[in-house]
């Protein structure tokens, strides 16, 4: 966008009430002031052209006014962000004016001196700077013009002049009677005018000036100048020269007037293909003109041949440069698609082959893609060094290439990942090739001072000809990699692409990303909300409420309320347990503190997983929750499974000791379901044992289970530990637990897990029901 300064004469608006009044100079006065220099210059030059003889004072006045107009244009152009074209037009106008002044001085010094030398030189320089201005307009804000543009322009002028000499002679036109230099000057001016007009049209259309009258005014001035020059050639060179001077002045003034406003910038910075195409056309035309001049017996054929030869050399050099650029581009493209180490195609080359190979986007026949991942390569690279690793990679490439027959593309996609494209292969053949490749790669490799073995996982994907739409190259590669990951996860060497499993994996990945947003320091509302439900715990003997267990839930925006089984494994696997534990602890402690303030001082139990101890500082998390909510430590119980204790033998006991010293209760969850030692019951500061629901469910039907439960309760009683039985669903089981001495029961018999608000109402109803009437 142009940076335009305020123009003189425009003042700020004044606000009166709700209306804004702009105080400006009358618009009709400004427009004539801009056009006045143009009209005066054109009128004076027309007078000079139509007056017999040459009036040096009028010619000098035209030059001076032209200089003033150019200087005014340069001053106005400074308010625009890009002034490159304006500067070149300023130089073009200065050269033309200087040429006119030179002719006036020459006439004053010596009447016998050539009268048009100044104009010829000045107009030639003017054309050069005008063409430079158009090129800089084309490159506005993006760099300087290229040499190829100048070569095309010079070649066009040379071909036009050479062909014009032959055409004038062949048609016996009036200009054929002129002297050689007069004919060359006249044809040169016609050619430069035509080149400038054509270039203005092309660049103007590229910059979006199709409907801008400024463009067509300048192009029209060029066109009229060329047409008039041709039309009045019969009147002689002197008249044509006068008309040429008038034409140059008119074009220069029209261009200067058009540049009072900023030029648009071309959005598309790529070089138009017409540039290279025009070079080829010029070479053909120059060669044709040279051939005609060589076999023609017309006058001045030597001049035409010399100019045609020069045009041929110039355009041939341009075409040769284009060919070298194309060769360099092709070589760079090949190098960009080739792996330096193995000489195979790289990822970019593979994707290009996938796009164009049969069975993909272009063709409807079958194709298969194999993706290989080398197992153990990192160990080889680290153990024996990168040189040995490179040797192994080249050996793998050689072995796989030796197995392939017919059309194929072998590529190294990443460091230790290869791919094989088999055009026309069906699923059966692809699996056979994959098995052979896996067998070859797992054979030992001889390296300096050692023998190494690699594992391999091969994913196979197949493109069916009836698949609509046909998958793109990147999608085929993704499918092959998905199959390779499936083989790695299953511990097999070869696995075929399974769309259903791929969709499940996509959903898992999507769910993981949603969990990241859900558990971020600033949660994303679009990912849902972490909520906590609570299940009451009752005294088995009296039926009074003593606490509740906090159970995490995920309120998903699309799937509603999700139980832990739908997401906890993903949380564990992707290192998100610490933020989830922090969130659940905070919510559970907040609710328990509210219960206490409402007159229900019940314990709240929160589960801690093994990764909670690995991913975060549990003591810090607990202390933050207690401090933020004001909950008494004695009202918080942390449940830890036996597996947590056994997996973190060194780290967990100090943490539990620190929590116990703060007054936080500790419970062994799912007691009896894991493989552990009873020693921790004596060594760790636990307060509670929680009998797993699997024992409670079989309590009334299996005598051995009954004996286990009874022994557990007796053990806990001797160790002065509280016993909680979870999964109590009927009164008979509750009565049996009561008889065995169980302290607390939890299960559907009492209540299902419920949101915090519903649980508070349940507390109130339960307390009211227990009160004597």
């Amino acid at each position: 966008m142009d940076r335009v300064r305020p123009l003189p004469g425009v003042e700020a608006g004044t606000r009166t009430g709700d209306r804004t009044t702009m105080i400006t100079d009358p618009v009709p006065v400004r427009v004539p002031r801009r056009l006045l220099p143009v009209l005066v210059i054109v009128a004076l030059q027309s007078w000079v052209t139509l007056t017999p003889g040459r009036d040096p004072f009028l010619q000098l006045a035209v030059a001076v006014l032209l200089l003033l107009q150019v200087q005014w244009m340069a001053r106005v152009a400074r308010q625009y962000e890009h002034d490159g074209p304006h500067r070149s037009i300023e130089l073009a106008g200065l050269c033309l004016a200087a040429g006119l002044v030179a002719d006036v001085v020459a006439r004053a010094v010596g009447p016998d001196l050539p009268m048009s030398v100044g104009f010829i030189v000045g107009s030639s320089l003017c054309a050069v700077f005008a063409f430079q201005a158009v090129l800089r307009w084309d490159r506005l804000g993006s760099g300087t013009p290229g040499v190829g543009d100048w070569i095309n322009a010079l070649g066009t002028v040379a071909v036009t002049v050479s062909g014009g000499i032959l055409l004038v002679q062949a048609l016996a036109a009036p200009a054929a009677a002129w002297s050689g230099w007069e004919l060359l000057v006249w044809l040169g001016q016609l050619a430069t005018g035509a080149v400038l007009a054509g270039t203005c049209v092309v660049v103007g259309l590229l910059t979006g000036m199709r409907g801008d009258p400024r463009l067509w005014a300048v192009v029209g001035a060029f066109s009229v100048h060329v047409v008039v020059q041709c039309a009045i050639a019969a009147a002689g060179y002197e008249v044509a020269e006068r008309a040429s001077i008038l034409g140059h002045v008119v074009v220069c003034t029209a261009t200067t007037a058009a540049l009072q406003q900023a030029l648009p910038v071309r959005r598309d910075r790529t070089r138009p293909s017409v540039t290279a195409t025009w070079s080829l056309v010029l070479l053909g035309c120059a060669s044709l003109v040279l051939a005609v001049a060589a076999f023609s017996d017309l006058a001045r054929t030597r001049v035409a041949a010399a100019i045609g030869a020069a045009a041929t050399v110039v355009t041939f050099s341009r075409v040769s440069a284009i060919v070298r650029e194309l060769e360099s581009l092709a070589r760079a493209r090949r190098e960009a698609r080739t792996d330096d180490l193995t000489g195979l195609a790289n990822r970019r080359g593979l994707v290009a082959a996938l796009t164009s190979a049969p069975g993909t986007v272009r063709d409807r026949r079958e194709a298969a893609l194999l993706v290989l991942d080398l197992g153990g390569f990192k160990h080889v690279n680290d153990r024996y060094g990168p040189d040995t690793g490179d040797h192994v990679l080249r050996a793998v490439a050689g072995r796989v290439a030796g197995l392939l027959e017919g059309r194929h593309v072998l590529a190294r996609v990443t460091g230790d990942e290869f791919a094989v494209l088999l055009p026309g292969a069906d699923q059966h053949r692809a699996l056979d090739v994959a098995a052979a490749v896996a067998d070859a790669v797992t054979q030992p490799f001889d390296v300096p001072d050692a023998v190494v073995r690699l594992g391999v996982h091969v994913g196979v994907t197949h493109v069916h000809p009836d698949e609509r739409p046909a998958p793109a190259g990147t999608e085929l590669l993704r499918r092959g990699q998905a199959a390779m990951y499936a083989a790695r996860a299953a511990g097999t060497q070869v696995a075929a692409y399974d769309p259903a499993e791929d969709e499940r994996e996509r959903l898992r990945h999507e769910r993981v990303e949603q969990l990241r947003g859900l558990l971020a320091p600033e949660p994303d509302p679009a990912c849902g909300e972490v909520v906590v439900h609570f299940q009451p715990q009752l005294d088995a003997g009296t039926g009074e409420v003593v606490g509740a267990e906090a159970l995490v839930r995920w309120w998903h925006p699309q799937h509603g309320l999700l139980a832990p089984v739908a997401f906890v494994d993903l949380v564990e696997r992707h290192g998100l347990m610490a933020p989830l534990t922090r969130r659940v602890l905070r919510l559970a402690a907040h609710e328990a503190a509210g219960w206490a303030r409402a007159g229900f001082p019940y314990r709240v139990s929160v589960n801690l997983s093994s990764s909670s101890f690995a991913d975060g500082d549990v003591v810090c998390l607990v202390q933050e929750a207690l401090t933020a909510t004001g909950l008494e430590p004695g009202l918080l119980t942390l449940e830890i499974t036996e597996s947590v204790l056994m997996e973190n033998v060194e780290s967990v006991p100090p943490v539990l000791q620190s929590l116990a010293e703060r007054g936080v209760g500790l419970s062994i969850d799912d007691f009896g379901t894991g493989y552990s030692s009873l020693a921790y019951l004596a060594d760790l500061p636990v307060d509670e044992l929680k009998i797993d629901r699997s024992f409670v469910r079989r309590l009334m039907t299996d005598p051995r289970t009954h004996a286990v439960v009874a022994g557990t309760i007796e053990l806990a009683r001797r160790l002065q530990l509280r016993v909680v039985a979870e999964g109590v669903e009927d009164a008979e089981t509750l009565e049996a637990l009561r008889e065995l001495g169980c302290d607390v029961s939890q299960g559907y018999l009492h209540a299902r897990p419920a949101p915090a608000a519903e649980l508070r109402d349940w507390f109130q109803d339960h307390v009211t029901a227990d009160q004597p009437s």
Side-chain angles (χ1 to χ4, degrees), residues 721-740:
L721 301 178
R722 184 173 59 249
V723 178
V724 178
E726 62 178 348
V728 180
E729 298 184 0
D730 55 74
E732 290 80 4
T733 302
L734 176 61
E735 181 61 29
L737 290 168
R738 186 184 294 117
E739 292 176 356
L740 292 174

Side-chain angles (χ1 to χ4, degrees), residues 187-209:
L187 289 174
Q189 291 178 350
L190 290 179
T192 54
V195 168
L196 286 171
T199 308
C200 284
V201 171
V202 172
V203 177
L205 295 179
L206 289 175
T207 54
M209 293 186 68

Side-chain angles (χ1 to χ4, degrees), residues 7 18 23 56 116 125 133 207 217 225 235 316 370 373 395 507 513 548 561 617 626 641 650 723 766:
L7 294 176
D18 294 332
I23 303 176
S116 60
L125 294 176
T207 54
H225 168 58
F316 182 77
L370 281 59
D373 176 64
L507 293 176
E513 293 305 312
L561 195 65
D617 187 348
L626 294 175
T641 63
E650 299 295 332
V723 178
H766 191 78

Side-chain angles (χ1 to χ4, degrees), residues 113-132:
L113 293 177
M115 300 307 300
S116 60
V117 173
F119 167 69
I120 293 173
V121 175
S123 62
S124 300
L125 294 176
C126 176
V128 170
F129 285 114
F131 187 70
Q132 173 77 358

Side-chain angles (χ1 to χ4, degrees), residues 473-492:
T474 53
E475 172 61 16
L476 282 175
L477 181 57
R478 189 199 66 79
R479 292 181 184 181
Q481 291 173 328
M484 180 265 292
Y485 295 141
R488 181 193 299 173
T492 61

